[in-house]
Amino acid sequence: MTVKTRFAPSPTGFLHVGGARTALYSWLYAKNQGGEFVLRIEDTDLERSTQEAVDAILEGMSWLELNWDEGPYYQTKRFDRYNEVVDQLLAAGKAYKCYASKDLLDEIRAEQEANKEHPRYDANHPKIKAVNEAAKDGDPYVVRFCNPKEGSVVFDDQIRGRIEIRNDQLDDLIIRRTDGSPTYNFCVVVDDWDMGITHVVRGEDHINNTARQINIYLALEAPVPTFAHCAMILGDDGAKLSKRHGAVSVMQYRDEGYLPNALNNYLVRLGWSHGDQEIFTRDEMIEYFSLDAISKSASAFNTDKLLWLNNQYIKNSDPEYVAKHLQWHLDQQGIHKENGPAITDVIQLVGERCNTLVELAQQSRYFYEDFDDFEPGAAKKHLRGVAKAPLSLALEKIKALTVWNTENLHQVIADVCEALEVGMGKVGMPLRVAVTGIGQSPSVDATMNLIGKARVVQRIEMAIAFIEAREANAQ
Ligand code: GLU
């Protein structure tokens, strides 16, 4: 049997982290089993589904590189097929037409509540029976599925173990509405059956749907897939993860400077573990993933851990991979990487200091753009009269360099310290502020090396002029 899983979002909003984790688990399980992964857009709720949400979901999936082998299928394009199956169930006596109006059902519900009974649809209620017997051709009706009255639905959930739901808790589900449109729980079964889905991974909020759906599979004599229901994701305050907790759309994580691999790594660990390993390559995730190692209990989202992971990924990933995702942020910040050193070199130098790609882009700016001003706090502290001599001597030695590399620049700084009998800080800090315009950077020799000779010379000259102007003003 080829394992086939699917992710089946309803396009009523963006792809949020809960959905992304479900998609990732389904995708990983398919890959782990050498199987296939299907993307299906569950857009039967015409009022709440939007094209914008479909686009946002596809964009999120692509950004996370959760590529699908089949699809995207759209439920709205399959109405004929659903209706065909409804008709089969009607013909087999496994579904029936019900003509009871909404008003009548409301009336019966009110009676049940008044009698302290559990409010539920009952096909044998005398008023419903009477309406159905009196119905004429052309009267509006819904089609209801004949849910078994006795016994229980039992299934072996791959995460939660055995689950049993009594049939007397399940109504005869409407499978086709008065307007002829099929309903959600029914479409899901027909789709999973037609698409050959063997394993359904989804949120635990669907457990009751699963019981209803299993009864429909049995009525259709279709193979029942294996189910795995994932627990919820909570915010760091213990409440269900929601917009209140800030970034919940996957694309917002892109905007905030996370690498998709870091987010995937974070999401896989949010409810799944493999020993105490925290960092997994994509191949390792695929190799080690299993449904039974997913936790039954809810997991809490922890932004600090995500930031830590993102830093690990920025530091340790192939710089080409980081560069590909950094590009978007460079564009956002108007930084043109053609105007300076290879971006991969900058990533290798600056990356380890950054938790996000937003920071990395910000800290890349001085490699690509000239500036007119020094950051005031840093200039006040380090571009003072005493810095003029070390800067001037460094400038002279830098101009004289014939081979431009970090080692030689390191030597220049050491020589200036020795000649002027001052410590490293008295030379390095003014140089840093001069060449970067700010007070923090990686080691100044390597930084100058990447900035390049022409820019370094011009910036040190600018810093000396700044000090001279400052001295002139002070007099
Ligand atoms: N469309 C459902 C949702 O977005 C998922 C249904 C399923 O996975 O079976 O919650």
Side-chain angles (χ1 to χ4, degrees):
M1 174 190 72
T2 305
V3 163
K4 214 165 172 191
T5 65
R6 76 333 187 252
F7 177 52
S10 304
T12 53
F14 41 62
L15 180 64
H16 52 79
V17 292
R21 186 188 63 167
T22 306
L24 176 65
Y25 286 176
S26 293
W27 183 89
L28 283 172
Y29 189 64
K31 301 290 144 188
N32 171 274
Q33 296 288 306
E36 280 172 8
F37 175 67
V38 174
L39 178 61
R40 179 170 79 228
I41 305 290
E42 300 203 322
D43 53 354
T44 45
D45 185 343
L46 299 175
E47 278 177 13
R48 293 177 60 224
S49 301
T50 64
Q51 185 58 43
E52 206 186 341
V54 172
D55 294 342
I57 290 166
L58 298 183
E59 186 185 27
M61 295 287 286
S62 303
W63 183 70
L64 289 170
E65 291 183 55
L66 299 179
N67 51 308
W68 47 95
D69 302 296
E70 265 181 46
Y73 294 113
Y74 292 85
Q75 288 188 324
T76 43
K77 300 212 171 111
R78 291 176 41 79
F79 276 18
D80 288 351
R81 170 65 182 148
Y82 305 136
N83 278 321
E84 182 181 82
V85 182
V86 172
D87 292 340
Q88 279 169 19
L89 285 175
L90 276 172
K94 293 176 176 176
Y96 61 93
K97 297 176 182 176
C98 177
Y99 293 82
S101 66
K102 185 172 174 304
D103 286 348
L104 176 58
L105 295 178
D106 287 347
E107 182 191 316
I108 293 174
R109 175 180 302 259
E111 277 171 16
Q112 288 170 329
E113 277 167 1
N115 294 338
K116 306 255 178 304
E117 290 166 26
H118 177 58
R120 62 195 308 269
Y121 174 86
D122 174 9
N124 288 320
H125 190 284
K127 288 183 180 169
I128 294 180
K129 271 181 112 164
V131 169
N132 283 341
E133 277 160 17
K136 304 179 297 299
D137 270 359
D139 286 350
Y141 63 90
V142 298
V143 177
R144 286 188 181 261
F145 171 67
C146 298
N147 199 78
K149 302 287 166 284
E150 310 288 320
S152 304
V153 184
V154 180
F155 63 99
D156 185 19
D157 188 284
Q158 298 299 289
I159 299 170
R160 316 176 70 83
R162 184 177 187 276
I163 294 183
E164 177 169 356
I165 295 175
R166 291 206 328 262
N167 274 321
D168 63 14
Q169 299 187 340
L170 306 172
D171 287 345
D172 284 354
L173 188 75
I174 296 177
I175 57 176
R176 182 160 69 202
R177 301 183 188 89
T178 315
D179 65 6
S181 61
T183 57
Y184 166 73
N185 269 302
F186 181 72
C187 300
V188 171
V189 173
V190 177
D191 285 342
D192 284 338
W193 177 31
D194 283 355
M195 294 169 195
I197 302 302
T198 60
H199 291 74
V200 171
V201 181
R202 60 186 171 201
E204 65 180 3
D205 46 332
H206 286 282
I207 289 180
N208 270 314
N209 287 335
T210 300
R212 295 172 183 286
Q213 291 174 10
I214 288 175
N215 281 332
I216 301 176
Y217 282 104
L218 297 174
L220 291 169
E221 294 172 26
V224 180
T226 301
F227 292 94
H229 291 94
C230 307
M232 277 187 308
I233 301 180
L234 307 176
D236 21 27
D237 57 358
K240 187 168 188 240
L241 193 68
S242 72
K243 283 189 197 145
R244 259 188 322 113
H245 297 98
V248 287
S249 153
V250 160
M251 296 319 288
Q252 201 169 328
Y253 288 93
R254 183 223 24 210
D255 298 356
E256 291 180 7
Y258 293 93
L259 282 166
N261 278 351
L263 186 58
N264 276 329
N265 194 144
Y266 181 73
L267 291 176
V268 81
R269 282 284 295 108
L270 197 60
W272 173 84
S273 54
H274 178 74
D276 50 15
Q277 187 169 339
E278 285 294 353
I279 298 181
F280 298 85
T281 63
R282 240 170 136 78
D283 286 346
E284 283 173 333
M285 276 187 216
I286 292 173
E287 188 185 337
Y288 303 147
F289 190 76
S290 71
L291 295 174
D292 57 11
I294 297 176
S295 162
K296 276 202 232 349
S297 29
S299 322
F301 201 87
N302 178 338
T303 308
D304 289 338
K305 184 171 170 195
L306 174 57
L307 273 173
W308 171 78
L309 263 175
N310 203 44
N311 171 261
Q312 297 293 312
Y313 271 83
I314 291 175
K315 266 199 302 225
N316 301 326
S317 300
D318 177 356
E320 296 286 353
Y321 171 77
V322 180
K324 182 173 135 204
H325 292 283
L326 181 63
Q327 184 60 52
W328 188 85
H329 295 276
L330 296 175
D331 292 344
Q332 293 294 305
Q333 296 189 27
I335 298 170
H336 301 288
K337 70 175 192 305
E338 303 70 35
N339 298 337
I343 191 73
T344 43
D345 290 342
V346 174
I347 290 167
Q348 275 171 309
L349 184 64
V350 182
E352 65 175 335
R353 310 164 56 83
C354 302
N355 285 337
T356 69
L357 298 180
V358 173
E359 285 170 38
L360 182 50
Q362 280 160 356
Q363 297 197 26
S364 303
R365 186 178 288 280
Y366 56 77
F367 293 100
Y368 300 100
E369 265 177 25
D370 295 324
F371 48 85
D372 299 322
D373 299 309
F374 300 99
E375 196 258 299
K380 186 161 180 240
K381 198 157 165 210
H382 300 292
L383 298 185
R384 291 184 294 138
V386 310
K388 206 168 127 184
L391 284 177
S392 304
L393 187 55
L395 179 63
E396 192 184 304
K397 290 180 180 296
I398 282 171
K399 278 182 171 167
L401 278 181
T402 48
V403 179
W404 186 258
N405 62 26
T406 301
E407 238 169 46
N408 288 348
L409 288 161
H410 183 79
Q411 195 55 50
V412 165
I413 297 171
D415 291 348
V416 173
C417 291
E418 202 186 311
L420 300 182
E421 293 181 356
V422 293
M424 255 330 171
K426 295 265 183 295
V427 183
M429 278 314 294
L431 264 181
R432 168 171 289 121
V433 179
V435 300
T436 65
I438 55 180
Q440 295 101 32
S441 79
S443 76
V444 70
D445 44 12
T447 304
M448 289 195 292
N449 178 46
L450 276 194
I451 292 174
K453 188 167 181 177
R455 275 192 166 129
V456 165
V457 166
Q458 176 258 324
R459 290 176 188 181
I460 298 174
E461 283 169 349
M462 188 170 104
I464 293 170
F466 176 91
I467 295 172
E468 283 169 350
R470 188 174 170 178
E471 283 176 326
N473 276 344
Q475 277 161 16

